[in-house]
Amino acid sequence: MRWLQRSVGLAILGTATLGAVLLWVGVAASDPDPGQRPQQGLLFGVWRVFYDTAMPSGRVLVAAAGVGLLLAAAVAALERRITNRARRSENPHRTPLAPKLVMAQTRGEYAGPVTVTVLIPAHNEEAAIGATLRSLLAQSVPPARIVVVADNCTDQTVPLARAVGVDIFETVGNTKKKAGALNQALREVLPGQGDNDLVMVMDADTTLDQGFLAGAARRMTEDRALMAVGGLFYGEEGAGLIGQFQRNEYIRYQRELKRRRGRVFVLTGTASVFRPRALRAVAAERGETLPGVPGDVYDTIALTEDNELTMALKSLGALMISPPECTVVTEVMPSWGALWAQRLRWQRGALENLGAYGMRPSTFRNWMQQLGIGYGVIALSAYVLLILMMVLATANWVWFPFWLGVGGVFVVERVVTVWRGGWRARLLGLSLFPELFYAMFLNVVYVKGVWDLSLARQASWKHVVQTREGIEVER
């Protein structure tokens, strides 16, 4: 199935390109308004460029808006239908974690009060582990146990964690990075967990807001069919302009999740809480209906193990949410090189996971999400390219009312969606071109991920570590 993995990115980008071409043809085939003649300019002294300062016809605008709304409504309706079918499923072989089945299996049983065991995979995290542990110990509902999963640490991570009084689990012979370390720890922890003895996995560079565990425990207590609770993350302060770009991006991500009423996109590695039943079900299905090695909770081949585990749980019918009371602060990348490495791994990992799972009801939303990103890459690139062409082709500055209006709508959207982030977030949203630059940066990362995947280039994990000397990207 390697050919399928290699073709995922190209299939998504090709479909998005086809849609863009069809729209282009549709607009180009429409007749110009009577009496409206296009003007022309000369690009590089040889290329005649025709342009029209009038806005597109009402028919074209209505058609474009109609197609967009129709597609959005179709995706939303299909996703809702798929979700409802999964919740009502009574097939214990295909969807053993479906709420209807879980409720029937646990009816009349009391699994005891909810407890939380926290696993923190750590590889040379001495710069961040202290703040992470302090945030856990300060929770209004403290965890029953904290375990730092020390994976090939060569710095002061282990002594610092021991000094705080938490448990240490040191991996043995692990070469599978974070997923391999967690698999070793979960083999020790899971057998002794009851149905209400939750397991939380959180990054060593993340701090919890005070009510996180209380919120997660309350949700799990009230709904025994709930299999996982994901954290809503926002960026730490600092790192200048590049840090603000990421904080704005995370604020918009939170806003999107709220609009979905907490329905999970990804149970991120920053902090997610799982019911043991869910993790055991995933381990049991590895090598059967799910990719991976039988008995492993995490697929050690996946570049983005949290994204892959989310797909695995969805495939088994699990109910998952990201409630607004479960928020965490995560690090932001302080340099463009570190951000490039992080996002390339995320993007490449998401595409590879789609290739591993293929098209199935549980991955429908992921495919549509990637298709939307691909279309966005083409649309934004075309927008910037056309602006550049017009600037070079015309001798005098031309104000295009329609495109000024489009730019105005874009600015309003940028500001409104980060409003709760404060004046710095709003000011950056108001400055149109820096946000466009950041969007183009992410688009280039997307294209690079597609390109590397299509050529079957070996991907590296690229762990970003904060050291006393600064940021280091480990391969």
Side-chain angles (χ1 to χ4, degrees):
M1 299 294 286
R2 191 171 180 80
W3 66 268
L4 179 60
Q5 287 203 350
R6 290 181 59 179
S7 63
V8 167
L10 288 178
I12 291 172
L13 202 53
T15 305
T17 304
L18 179 62
V21 169
L22 289 175
L23 180 60
W24 179 282
V25 171
V27 172
S30 62
D31 296 327
D33 291 338
Q36 186 71 35
R37 296 179 59 83
Q39 302 178 50
Q40 63 175 299
L42 199 60
L43 186 62
F44 303 128
V46 294
W47 187 11
R48 286 198 302 166
V49 177
F50 291 89
Y51 59 93
D52 191 343
T53 57
M55 63 183 293
S57 67
R59 185 178 57 182
V60 171
L61 292 177
V62 169
V67 169
L69 290 173
L70 188 64
L71 288 176
V75 171
L78 275 172
E79 185 190 21
R80 180 172 291 274
R81 179 176 172 79
I82 290 168
T83 302
N84 288 338
R85 286 189 64 181
R87 287 179 177 174
R88 295 166 185 162
S89 172
E90 297 182 76
N91 188 331
H93 303 293
R94 293 184 58 188
T95 54
L97 298 177
K100 192 169 185 178
L101 284 171
V102 174
M103 294 295 280
Q105 292 165 2
T106 58
R107 184 171 294 119
E109 296 181 5
Y110 178 59
V114 166
T115 68
V116 181
T117 295
V118 182
L119 300 183
I120 308 173
H123 172 65
N124 291 344
E125 304 285 359
E126 63 178 12
I129 193 71
T132 302
L133 294 175
R134 284 193 294 276
S135 78
L136 275 169
L137 296 172
Q139 290 291 297
S140 55
V141 175
R145 187 186 179 198
I146 301 173
V147 182
V148 173
V149 182
D151 181 40
N152 300 313
C153 290
T154 56
D155 64 353
Q156 295 299 305
T157 299
V158 171
L160 287 172
R162 279 209 176 96
V164 178
V166 302
D167 293 341
I168 306 294
F169 177 91
E170 296 197 59
T171 60
V172 178
N174 177 44
T175 58
K176 304 297 184 181
K177 305 293 184 181
K178 179 179 174 182
L182 283 170
N183 282 336
Q184 287 191 11
L186 286 167
R187 287 193 193 97
E188 293 288 325
V189 170
L190 274 183
Q193 302 296 100
D195 218 25
N196 276 354
D197 298 326
L198 313 179
V199 176
M200 184 168 92
V201 177
M202 67 176 293
D203 285 345
D205 53 15
T206 297
T207 56
L208 302 182
D209 287 338
Q210 198 171 27
F212 186 106
L213 288 187
R218 182 176 62 81
R219 296 277 180 167
M220 289 291 197
T221 301
E222 293 175 349
D223 189 351
R224 64 179 190 275
L226 186 61
M227 290 292 113
V229 172
L232 290 174
F233 56 90
Y234 55 89
E236 63 183 358
E237 291 298 317
L241 181 61
I242 190 173
Q244 192 60 53
F245 278 131
Q246 294 166 80
R247 285 189 287 277
N248 280 13
E249 183 185 8
Y250 295 161
I251 291 171
R252 292 186 179 108
Y253 178 74
Q254 285 192 21
R255 181 184 170 88
E256 181 66 21
L257 277 182
K258 285 182 179 178
R259 288 172 57 189
R260 289 169 51 82
R261 298 181 181 179
R263 294 199 301 276
V264 166
F265 278 132
V266 178
L267 293 166
T268 65
T270 51
S272 293
V273 180
F274 303 93
R275 209 178 280 277
R277 171 191 294 262
L279 300 180
R280 292 192 190 106
V282 170
E285 290 298 321
R286 293 285 184 204
E288 297 292 334
T289 61
L290 302 176
V293 176
D296 281 354
V297 172
Y298 285 91
D299 183 5
T300 55
I301 296 178
L303 275 176
T304 48
E305 71 290 331
D306 49 1
N307 175 273
E308 195 280 336
L309 183 60
T310 308
M311 285 188 180
L313 289 168
K314 282 184 178 178
S315 299
L316 300 180
L319 178 63
M320 303 173 285
I321 60 169
S322 292
E325 65 269 28
C326 294
T327 54
V328 303
V329 183
T330 191
E331 66 173 350
V332 295
M333 295 296 103
S335 69
W336 291 105
L339 183 63
W340 172 271
Q342 182 199 53
R343 298 310 174 89
L344 189 58
R345 182 168 66 85
W346 288 3
Q347 185 57 57
R348 175 76 182 266
L351 292 171
E352 287 188 355
N353 291 338
L354 278 181
Y357 278 79
M359 178 61 86
R360 46 174 104 177
S362 59
T363 60
F364 170 77
R365 177 80 191 192
N366 302 79
W367 281 94
M368 292 302 104
Q369 187 181 35
Q370 289 296 323
L371 181 59
I373 295 173
Y375 189 82
V377 168
I378 294 168
L380 184 58
S381 301
Y383 180 71
V384 173
L385 180 63
L386 288 174
I387 290 177
L388 185 62
M389 286 175 60
M390 291 307 306
V391 169
L392 295 175
T394 57
N396 301 312
W397 183 261
V398 180
W399 295 99
F400 293 88
F402 173 75
W403 291 111
L404 286 173
V406 172
V409 171
F410 185 77
V411 169
V412 170
E413 188 271 340
R414 295 284 90 182
V415 174
V416 169
T417 52
V418 297
W419 192 261
R420 63 188 299 271
W423 68 269
R424 283 181 293 186
R426 298 169 202 159
L427 188 63
L428 184 58
L430 193 62
S431 56
L432 173 64
F433 289 103
E435 288 256 314
L436 282 177
F437 169 79
Y438 185 68
M440 284 301 297
F441 174 84
L442 297 181
N443 287 350
V444 174
V445 171
Y446 173 84
V447 174
K448 178 72 164 59
V450 171
W451 181 260
D452 287 348
L453 181 63
S454 303
L455 297 180
R457 289 180 174 170
Q458 185 66 37
S460 58
W461 206 80
K462 293 181 180 176
H463 180 52
V464 180
V465 178
Q466 287 191 29
T467 66
R468 296 183 189 280
E469 292 74 29
I471 289 292
E472 180 180 329
V473 180
E474 295 184 349
R475 296 175 184 277

